[in-house]
Amino acid sequence: MHPYAVDSEERIHIVFLFATLSIILIWAVQHVLTYFAISFPWFICIPSPFAVFGLLWLFFDRYLWKFSILHSIGLIKTPDLSGEWHGDLQSSHDEYHTVHPISLKVDQNWTSICLFLHANVSSSQSEVASIYINDSTGPVINYLYLNDPNPKTPKTMHIHRGTTTLRYDASKDTLEGSYYTDGKRKNYGEIRLERGK
Protein backbone atom coordinates (compact mmCIF):
# COMPACT_ATOMS: atom_id res chain seq x y z
CA MET A 1 0.00 0.00 0.00
CA HIS A 2 1.05 3.62 -0.49
CA PRO A 3 0.02 6.92 1.12
CA TYR A 4 -2.78 8.99 -0.37
CA ALA A 5 -3.69 12.65 -0.04
CA VAL A 6 -7.01 14.10 1.09
CA ASP A 7 -8.35 17.65 0.95
CA SER A 8 -9.76 17.45 4.47
CA GLU A 9 -8.27 18.83 7.69
CA GLU A 10 -9.30 15.71 9.62
CA ARG A 11 -5.73 14.39 9.83
CA ILE A 12 -4.61 17.60 11.53
CA HIS A 13 -7.51 17.39 13.99
CA ILE A 14 -6.83 13.74 14.81
CA VAL A 15 -3.13 14.40 15.43
CA PHE A 16 -4.01 17.19 17.86
CA LEU A 17 -6.66 15.03 19.54
CA PHE A 18 -4.33 12.05 19.99
CA ALA A 19 -1.45 14.21 21.23
CA THR A 20 -3.69 15.78 23.85
CA LEU A 21 -5.21 12.44 24.83
CA SER A 22 -1.78 10.81 25.16
CA ILE A 23 -0.55 13.50 27.55
CA ILE A 24 -3.74 13.33 29.64
CA LEU A 25 -3.59 9.53 29.88
CA ILE A 26 0.03 9.44 31.03
CA TRP A 27 -0.57 12.31 33.47
CA ALA A 28 -3.55 10.42 34.94
CA VAL A 29 -1.59 7.16 35.26
CA GLN A 30 1.29 8.96 37.02
CA HIS A 31 -1.07 10.59 39.50
CA VAL A 32 -2.87 7.32 40.28
CA LEU A 33 0.46 5.53 40.86
CA THR A 34 1.71 8.35 43.09
CA TYR A 35 -1.54 8.51 45.07
CA PHE A 36 -1.48 4.78 45.82
CA ALA A 37 2.32 4.74 46.25
CA ILE A 38 2.71 2.11 43.58
CA SER A 39 6.15 1.58 42.14
CA PHE A 40 7.44 -0.87 39.56
CA PRO A 41 10.81 -2.63 39.25
CA TRP A 42 13.48 -0.82 37.23
CA PHE A 43 12.87 -3.02 34.17
CA ILE A 44 9.21 -1.95 33.91
CA CYS A 45 8.54 1.63 32.89
CA ILE A 46 5.41 3.59 32.10
CA PRO A 47 5.04 4.28 28.37
CA SER A 48 5.83 7.79 27.25
CA PRO A 49 3.18 10.01 25.67
CA PHE A 50 4.91 9.34 22.34
CA ALA A 51 4.42 5.59 22.72
CA VAL A 52 0.75 6.05 23.64
CA PHE A 53 0.30 8.38 20.67
CA GLY A 54 1.88 5.77 18.38
CA LEU A 55 -0.41 3.02 19.61
CA LEU A 56 -3.51 5.23 19.27
CA TRP A 57 -2.47 6.23 15.77
CA LEU A 58 -1.78 2.67 14.66
CA PHE A 59 -5.09 1.35 15.99
CA PHE A 60 -7.04 4.28 14.53
CA ASP A 61 -5.30 4.09 11.14
CA ARG A 62 -6.15 0.42 10.71
CA TYR A 63 -9.51 -0.01 12.40
CA LEU A 64 -11.23 2.83 14.26
CA TRP A 65 -11.49 5.31 11.36
CA LYS A 66 -14.00 3.01 9.66
CA PHE A 67 -16.54 3.23 12.51
CA SER A 68 -19.74 4.71 11.11
CA ILE A 69 -20.33 6.92 14.16
CA LEU A 70 -17.10 8.87 13.42
CA HIS A 71 -18.38 9.52 9.89
CA SER A 72 -21.89 10.44 11.02
CA ILE A 73 -20.62 13.10 13.47
CA GLY A 74 -18.31 14.50 10.79
CA LEU A 75 -15.00 13.75 12.54
CA ILE A 76 -13.96 11.51 9.63
CA LYS A 77 -14.91 12.49 6.09
CA THR A 78 -12.63 10.14 4.14
CA PRO A 79 -14.85 7.48 2.53
CA ASP A 80 -14.09 3.82 3.19
CA LEU A 81 -13.65 2.35 -0.29
CA SER A 82 -12.08 -0.94 0.80
CA GLY A 83 -13.45 -4.15 -0.60
CA GLU A 84 -14.16 -5.89 -3.90
CA TRP A 85 -15.77 -3.90 -6.70
CA HIS A 86 -17.19 -5.37 -9.92
CA GLY A 87 -18.28 -3.73 -13.12
CA ASP A 88 -17.24 -2.97 -16.67
CA LEU A 89 -15.01 -0.83 -18.82
CA GLN A 90 -15.43 0.55 -22.33
CA SER A 91 -12.45 1.84 -24.28
CA SER A 92 -11.64 4.09 -27.20
CA HIS A 93 -9.31 1.28 -28.36
CA ASP A 94 -12.29 -0.42 -30.04
CA GLU A 95 -14.45 2.72 -30.24
CA TYR A 96 -16.55 1.65 -27.24
CA HIS A 97 -17.98 -1.41 -29.05
CA THR A 98 -17.06 -3.94 -26.36
CA VAL A 99 -18.06 -4.02 -22.71
CA HIS A 100 -15.12 -5.48 -20.79
CA PRO A 101 -15.83 -7.02 -17.36
CA ILE A 102 -13.44 -5.79 -14.65
CA SER A 103 -12.91 -6.11 -10.92
CA LEU A 104 -11.25 -3.68 -8.55
CA LYS A 105 -9.82 -4.64 -5.18
CA VAL A 106 -9.25 -1.73 -2.79
CA ASP A 107 -7.11 -2.17 0.31
CA GLN A 108 -7.42 0.99 2.40
CA ASN A 109 -6.35 2.31 5.76
CA TRP A 110 -6.95 5.86 6.91
CA THR A 111 -3.59 7.02 5.51
CA SER A 112 -2.68 4.41 2.88
CA ILE A 113 -4.37 2.67 -0.02
CA CYS A 114 -3.80 0.28 -2.91
CA LEU A 115 -6.14 -0.19 -5.88
CA PHE A 116 -5.70 -3.34 -7.97
CA LEU A 117 -7.77 -3.53 -11.15
CA HIS A 118 -8.10 -6.82 -13.03
CA ALA A 119 -9.41 -7.19 -16.60
CA ASN A 120 -9.36 -10.07 -19.09
CA VAL A 121 -6.19 -8.94 -20.83
CA SER A 122 -4.27 -7.05 -18.16
CA SER A 123 -4.08 -5.89 -14.58
CA SER A 124 -3.05 -2.59 -13.05
CA GLN A 125 -2.02 -1.35 -9.64
CA SER A 126 -2.08 2.16 -8.21
CA GLU A 127 1.18 3.97 -7.50
CA VAL A 128 -0.11 7.28 -6.09
CA ALA A 129 -3.62 8.43 -5.19
CA SER A 130 -5.69 11.27 -3.78
CA ILE A 131 -9.27 11.64 -2.60
CA TYR A 132 -11.09 14.94 -3.07
CA ILE A 133 -13.71 14.89 -0.34
CA ASN A 134 -15.01 18.42 -0.76
CA ASP A 135 -16.00 18.09 -4.40
CA SER A 136 -19.51 19.48 -4.90
CA THR A 137 -20.77 16.26 -6.48
CA GLY A 138 -19.27 13.86 -3.94
CA PRO A 139 -15.89 12.27 -3.18
CA VAL A 140 -13.57 11.79 -6.16
CA ILE A 141 -10.57 9.47 -6.18
CA ASN A 142 -7.73 10.05 -8.62
CA TYR A 143 -4.90 7.59 -9.00
CA LEU A 144 -1.93 6.90 -11.22
CA TYR A 145 -1.54 3.24 -12.15
CA LEU A 146 0.94 0.88 -13.76
CA ASN A 147 -0.69 -1.56 -16.18
CA ASP A 148 0.82 -4.98 -16.87
CA PRO A 149 -0.66 -6.97 -19.81
CA ASN A 150 -1.14 -10.72 -19.51
CA PRO A 151 1.52 -12.86 -21.26
CA LYS A 152 -0.85 -14.02 -24.04
CA THR A 153 -2.09 -10.56 -25.05
CA PRO A 154 -1.28 -9.09 -28.51
CA LYS A 155 2.15 -7.56 -29.07
CA THR A 156 0.54 -4.15 -29.42
CA MET A 157 -0.09 -4.20 -25.66
CA HIS A 158 2.80 -3.35 -23.38
CA ILE A 159 3.43 -2.12 -19.87
CA HIS A 160 2.23 1.44 -19.54
CA ARG A 161 1.04 4.03 -17.04
CA GLY A 162 -2.26 5.82 -16.89
CA THR A 163 -4.60 7.85 -14.73
CA THR A 164 -8.07 6.99 -13.41
CA THR A 165 -10.68 9.34 -11.95
CA LEU A 166 -13.66 7.78 -10.15
CA ARG A 167 -16.59 9.49 -8.45
CA TYR A 168 -18.01 7.74 -5.39
CA ASP A 169 -21.78 7.68 -4.92
CA ALA A 170 -22.37 6.65 -1.31
CA SER A 171 -26.14 6.27 -1.77
CA LYS A 172 -25.66 3.64 -4.50
CA ASP A 173 -22.25 2.40 -3.33
CA THR A 174 -20.86 2.82 -6.84
CA LEU A 175 -17.74 4.21 -8.51
CA GLU A 176 -18.00 5.78 -11.96
CA GLY A 177 -15.50 7.68 -14.00
CA SER A 178 -12.88 7.57 -16.69
CA TYR A 179 -9.30 6.63 -17.40
CA TYR A 180 -6.66 7.53 -19.92
CA THR A 181 -3.30 5.97 -20.75
CA ASP A 182 0.07 7.54 -21.34
CA GLY A 183 1.33 8.83 -24.70
CA LYS A 184 2.45 5.41 -25.92
CA ARG A 185 -1.08 4.00 -26.11
CA LYS A 186 -3.26 7.12 -26.11
CA ASN A 187 -6.42 5.28 -25.09
CA TYR A 188 -9.19 6.46 -22.82
CA GLY A 189 -12.45 5.05 -21.61
CA GLU A 190 -15.24 4.82 -19.05
CA ILE A 191 -15.46 2.71 -15.91
CA ARG A 192 -18.49 1.66 -13.87
CA LEU A 193 -18.18 -0.34 -10.63
CA GLU A 194 -20.39 -1.52 -7.81
CA ARG A 195 -19.10 -2.83 -4.48
CA GLY A 196 -19.63 -6.55 -3.94
CA LYS A 197 -21.88 -7.59 -1.08
Side-chain angles (χ1 to χ4, degrees), residues 20-63:
T20 304
L21 186 58
S22 300
I23 293 169
I24 291 172
L25 285 173
I26 295 304
W27 175 84
V29 169
Q30 288 281 11
H31 277 270
V32 168
L33 293 177
T34 302
Y35 181 81
F36 290 103
I38 300 173
S39 62
F40 294 102
W42 63 269
F43 54 85
I44 298 177
C45 61
I46 299 173
S48 70
F50 296 106
V52 173
F53 177 90
L55 290 173
L56 288 172
W57 182 271
L58 182 65
F59 194 59
F60 188 86
D61 183 56
R62 293 188 180 180
Y63 309 108

Coordinates of all heavy atoms in Angstrom, one line a residue, residues 20-63:
T20 N -3.1 15.3 22.6 CA -3.7 15.8 23.9 C -4.1 14.6 24.7 O -3.8 14.6 25.9 CB -4.9 16.7 23.6 OG1 -4.5 17.8 22.7 CG2 -5.5 17.2 24.9
L21 N -4.8 13.6 24.1 CA -5.2 12.4 24.8 C -4.1 11.6 25.4 O -4.1 11.1 26.5 CB -6.0 11.6 23.9 CG -6.7 10.3 24.5 CD1 -7.7 10.8 25.6 CD2 -7.5 9.6 23.4
S22 N -3.0 11.5 24.7 CA -1.8 10.8 25.2 C -1.2 11.5 26.4 O -0.9 10.8 27.4 CB -0.7 10.8 24.1 OG -1.2 10.1 22.9
I23 N -1.1 12.8 26.4 CA -0.6 13.5 27.6 C -1.5 13.3 28.8 O -1.0 13.1 29.9 CB -0.4 15.0 27.2 CG1 0.8 15.1 26.1 CG2 0.0 15.8 28.4 CD1 0.9 16.5 25.5
I24 N -2.8 13.5 28.5 CA -3.7 13.3 29.6 C -3.7 11.9 30.2 O -3.7 11.8 31.5 CB -5.2 13.7 29.1 CG1 -5.2 15.2 28.8 CG2 -6.2 13.3 30.2 CD1 -6.5 15.6 28.2
L25 N -3.6 10.9 29.4 CA -3.6 9.5 29.9 C -2.4 9.3 30.7 O -2.4 8.7 31.8 CB -3.6 8.6 28.7 CG -5.0 8.4 28.0 CD1 -4.9 7.5 26.8 CD2 -6.0 7.7 29.0
I26 N -1.2 9.7 30.3 CA 0.0 9.4 31.0 C 0.0 10.2 32.3 O 0.4 9.8 33.4 CB 1.3 9.8 30.2 CG1 1.4 8.8 29.0 CG2 2.5 9.7 31.0 CD1 1.4 7.3 29.4
W27 N -0.5 11.5 32.3 CA -0.6 12.3 33.5 C -1.5 11.6 34.5 O -1.2 11.6 35.7 CB -1.1 13.7 33.1 CG -1.4 14.6 34.3 CD1 -0.5 15.4 34.9 CD2 -2.6 14.8 34.9 NE1 -1.1 16.0 35.9 CE2 -2.4 15.7 36.0 CE3 -3.9 14.2 34.7 CZ2 -3.5 16.1 36.8 CZ3 -4.9 14.6 35.6 CH2 -4.7 15.6 36.6
A28 N -2.6 11.1 34.0 CA -3.5 10.4 34.9 C -2.9 9.2 35.6 O -3.1 8.9 36.8 CB -4.8 10.1 34.2
V29 N -2.2 8.4 34.7 CA -1.6 7.2 35.3 C -0.5 7.5 36.3 O -0.5 6.9 37.4 CB -1.0 6.4 34.1 CG1 -0.1 5.2 34.6 CG2 -2.0 5.8 33.2
Q30 N 0.3 8.5 36.1 CA 1.3 9.0 37.0 C 0.7 9.4 38.3 O 1.2 9.0 39.4 CB 2.1 10.1 36.4 CG 3.0 9.7 35.3 CD 4.3 9.1 35.8 OE1 4.4 8.7 37.0 NE2 5.2 8.9 34.9
H31 N -0.4 10.1 38.3 CA -1.1 10.6 39.5 C -1.7 9.4 40.3 O -1.7 9.4 41.5 CB -2.1 11.7 39.2 CG -1.5 13.0 39.0 ND1 -1.4 13.9 40.1 CD2 -1.0 13.7 38.0 CE1 -0.8 15.0 39.7 NE2 -0.6 14.9 38.4
V32 N -2.3 8.5 39.6 CA -2.9 7.3 40.3 C -1.8 6.5 41.0 O -1.9 6.1 42.1 CB -3.7 6.4 39.3 CG1 -4.0 5.1 39.9 CG2 -4.9 7.2 38.8
L33 N -0.7 6.3 40.3 CA 0.5 5.5 40.9 C 1.0 6.3 42.1 O 1.4 5.6 43.1 CB 1.5 5.3 39.8 CG 1.2 4.4 38.6 CD1 2.3 4.3 37.6 CD2 0.8 3.0 39.1
T34 N 1.2 7.6 42.0 CA 1.7 8.4 43.1 C 0.7 8.3 44.3 O 1.2 8.2 45.4 CB 2.0 9.8 42.6 OG1 2.9 9.8 41.5 CG2 2.5 10.6 43.8
Y35 N -0.5 8.5 44.0 CA -1.5 8.5 45.1 C -1.6 7.2 45.9 O -1.7 7.2 47.1 CB -2.9 8.8 44.5 CG -4.0 8.8 45.5 CD1 -4.2 10.0 46.2 CD2 -4.8 7.7 45.7 CE1 -5.2 10.1 47.2 CE2 -5.9 7.8 46.7 CZ -6.0 8.9 47.4 OH -7.0 9.0 48.3
F36 N -1.4 6.1 45.2 CA -1.5 4.8 45.8 C -0.1 4.3 46.2 O 0.1 3.1 46.6 CB -2.2 3.8 45.0 CG -3.7 4.0 44.9 CD1 -4.3 4.6 43.7 CD2 -4.5 3.7 45.9 CE1 -5.6 4.8 43.6 CE2 -5.9 3.9 45.8 CZ -6.4 4.5 44.7
A37 N 0.9 5.1 46.0 CA 2.3 4.7 46.3 C 2.7 3.4 45.6 O 3.3 2.6 46.2 CB 2.5 4.7 47.8
I38 N 2.4 3.3 44.3 CA 2.7 2.1 43.6 C 4.0 2.4 42.8 O 4.1 3.4 42.1 CB 1.6 1.7 42.6 CG1 0.3 1.4 43.4 CG2 2.0 0.5 41.7 CD1 -0.9 1.2 42.5
S39 N 4.9 1.5 42.9 CA 6.2 1.6 42.1 C 6.4 0.2 41.4 O 6.0 -0.8 41.9 CB 7.3 2.0 43.0 OG 7.5 1.0 44.0
F40 N 7.1 0.3 40.3 CA 7.4 -0.9 39.6 C 9.0 -1.1 39.6 O 9.7 -0.2 39.8 CB 7.0 -0.7 38.1 CG 5.5 -0.6 37.9 CD1 4.9 0.6 37.7 CD2 4.7 -1.7 38.0 CE1 3.5 0.7 37.6 CE2 3.3 -1.7 37.8 CZ 2.7 -0.5 37.6
P41 N 9.4 -2.3 39.3 CA 10.8 -2.6 39.2 C 11.5 -1.8 38.1 O 10.8 -1.3 37.2 CB 10.9 -4.1 38.9 CG 9.5 -4.7 39.3 CD 8.6 -3.5 39.2
W42 N 12.8 -1.7 38.2 CA 13.5 -0.8 37.2 C 13.3 -1.2 35.8 O 13.4 -0.4 34.9 CB 15.0 -0.8 37.6 CG 15.6 -2.2 37.4 CD1 15.7 -3.1 38.4 CD2 16.2 -2.7 36.2 NE1 16.4 -4.2 37.9 CE2 16.7 -4.0 36.6 CE3 16.4 -2.3 34.9 CZ2 17.3 -4.8 35.6 CZ3 17.0 -3.1 34.0 CH2 17.4 -4.4 34.4
F43 N 13.0 -2.5 35.5 CA 12.9 -3.0 34.2 C 11.5 -2.8 33.6 O 11.2 -3.2 32.5 CB 13.3 -4.5 34.1 CG 12.6 -5.4 35.0 CD1 11.3 -5.9 34.7 CD2 13.1 -5.7 36.2 CE1 10.7 -6.8 35.6 CE2 12.5 -6.6 37.1 CZ 11.3 -7.1 36.8
I44 N 10.6 -2.3 34.4 CA 9.2 -2.0 33.9 C 9.0 -0.4 34.0 O 9.2 0.1 35.1 CB 8.1 -2.7 34.7 CG1 8.3 -4.2 34.6 CG2 6.7 -2.2 34.3 CD1 7.3 -4.9 35.5
C45 N 8.7 0.2 32.9 CA 8.5 1.6 32.9 C 7.2 2.0 32.3 O 6.7 1.2 31.4 CB 9.7 2.3 32.1 SG 9.8 1.9 30.4
I46 N 6.7 3.1 32.7 CA 5.4 3.6 32.1 C 5.7 4.1 30.7 O 6.7 4.8 30.5 CB 4.8 4.7 33.0 CG1 4.5 4.2 34.4 CG2 3.6 5.3 32.4 CD1 4.1 5.2 35.4
P47 N 4.8 3.8 29.7 CA 5.0 4.3 28.4 C 5.0 5.8 28.3 O 4.3 6.5 29.1 CB 3.8 3.7 27.6 CG 3.3 2.6 28.4 CD 3.7 2.9 29.8
S48 N 5.8 6.3 27.4 CA 5.8 7.8 27.3 C 4.6 8.2 26.5 O 3.9 7.4 25.8 CB 7.1 8.2 26.5 OG 7.0 7.8 25.1
P49 N 4.3 9.5 26.5 CA 3.2 10.0 25.7 C 3.4 9.7 24.2 O 2.4 9.5 23.5 CB 3.2 11.5 25.9 CG 3.8 11.7 27.3 CD 4.8 10.6 27.4
F50 N 4.6 9.7 23.7 CA 4.9 9.3 22.3 C 4.5 7.9 22.0 O 4.0 7.6 20.9 CB 6.4 9.6 22.0 CG 6.8 11.0 22.1 CD1 7.6 11.4 23.2 CD2 6.4 11.9 21.2 CE1 8.0 12.7 23.3 CE2 6.8 13.3 21.3 CZ 7.6 13.7 22.4
A51 N 4.8 7.0 22.9 CA 4.4 5.6 22.7 C 2.9 5.4 22.7 O 2.3 4.7 21.9 CB 5.0 4.7 23.8
V52 N 2.2 6.1 23.6 CA 0.7 6.0 23.6 C 0.2 6.6 22.4 O -0.7 6.1 21.8 CB 0.2 6.8 24.9 CG1 -1.3 6.9 24.8 CG2 0.6 6.1 26.1
F53 N 0.7 7.8 21.9 CA 0.3 8.4 20.7 C 0.5 7.4 19.5 O -0.4 7.3 18.7 CB 1.1 9.7 20.4 CG 0.8 10.3 19.1 CD1 -0.2 11.3 19.0 CD2 1.4 10.0 17.9 CE1 -0.6 11.9 17.8 CE2 1.1 10.6 16.7 CZ 0.1 11.5 16.7
G54 N 1.6 6.7 19.5 CA 1.9 5.8 18.4 C 0.9 4.6 18.4 O 0.4 4.2 17.3
L55 N 0.6 4.1 19.5 CA -0.4 3.0 19.6 C -1.8 3.5 19.2 O -2.5 2.8 18.5 CB -0.4 2.5 21.0 CG 0.8 1.7 21.5 CD1 0.7 1.3 22.9 CD2 0.9 0.4 20.6
L56 N -2.2 4.7 19.7 CA -3.5 5.2 19.3 C -3.6 5.4 17.8 O -4.6 5.1 17.1 CB -3.8 6.6 20.0 CG -4.1 6.5 21.5 CD1 -4.1 7.9 22.1 CD2 -5.4 5.8 21.7
W57 N -2.5 6.0 17.2 CA -2.5 6.2 15.8 C -2.6 4.9 15.0 O -3.3 4.8 14.0 CB -1.2 7.0 15.4 CG -1.1 7.3 13.9 CD1 -0.6 6.6 12.9 CD2 -1.6 8.5 13.3 NE1 -0.7 7.2 11.7 CE2 -1.3 8.4 12.0 CE3 -2.3 9.6 13.8 CZ2 -1.7 9.4 11.0 CZ3 -2.6 10.6 12.9 CH2 -2.3 10.5 11.5
L58 N -1.8 3.9 15.4 CA -1.8 2.7 14.7 C -3.2 2.0 14.7 O -3.7 1.6 13.6 CB -0.7 1.7 15.3 CG -0.6 0.4 14.6 CD1 0.0 0.5 13.2 CD2 0.4 -0.5 15.5
F59 N -3.8 2.0 15.8 CA -5.1 1.4 16.0 C -6.2 2.1 15.2 O -7.0 1.5 14.5 CB -5.5 1.3 17.5 CG -6.6 0.3 17.7 CD1 -6.6 -1.0 17.4 CD2 -7.8 0.8 18.3 CE1 -7.6 -1.8 17.6 CE2 -8.8 0.0 18.6 CZ -8.8 -1.3 18.2
F60 N -6.1 3.5 15.3 CA -7.0 4.3 14.5 C -6.9 4.1 13.0 O -7.8 4.0 12.3 CB -6.9 5.7 14.9 CG -8.0 6.6 14.4 CD1 -9.1 6.8 15.1 CD2 -7.8 7.3 13.2 CE1 -10.2 7.6 14.6 CE2 -8.8 8.1 12.7 CZ -10.0 8.3 13.4
D61 N -5.6 4.2 12.6 CA -5.3 4.1 11.1 C -5.8 2.8 10.5 O -6.3 2.8 9.4 CB -3.8 4.2 10.9 CG -3.4 4.2 9.5 OD1 -4.0 5.1 8.7 OD2 -2.6 3.4 9.0
R62 N -5.8 1.7 11.3 CA -6.1 0.4 10.7 C -7.6 0.1 10.9 O -8.2 -0.6 10.1 CB -5.3 -0.7 11.3 CG -3.8 -0.6 10.9 CD -3.0 -1.8 11.3 NE -1.6 -1.7 10.9 CZ -0.7 -2.6 11.2 NH1 -1.0 -3.7 11.8 NH2 0.5 -2.4 10.8
Y63 N -8.2 0.5 12.1 CA -9.5 0.0 12.4 C -10.5 1.1 12.7 O -11.6 1.1 12.1 CB -9.4 -1.0 13.6 CG -8.4 -2.1 13.4 CD1 -7.2 -2.1 14.1 CD2 -8.6 -3.1 12.5 CE1 -6.3 -3.1 14.0 CE2 -7.7 -4.1 12.4 CZ -6.5 -4.1 13.1 OH -5.6 -5.1 12.9

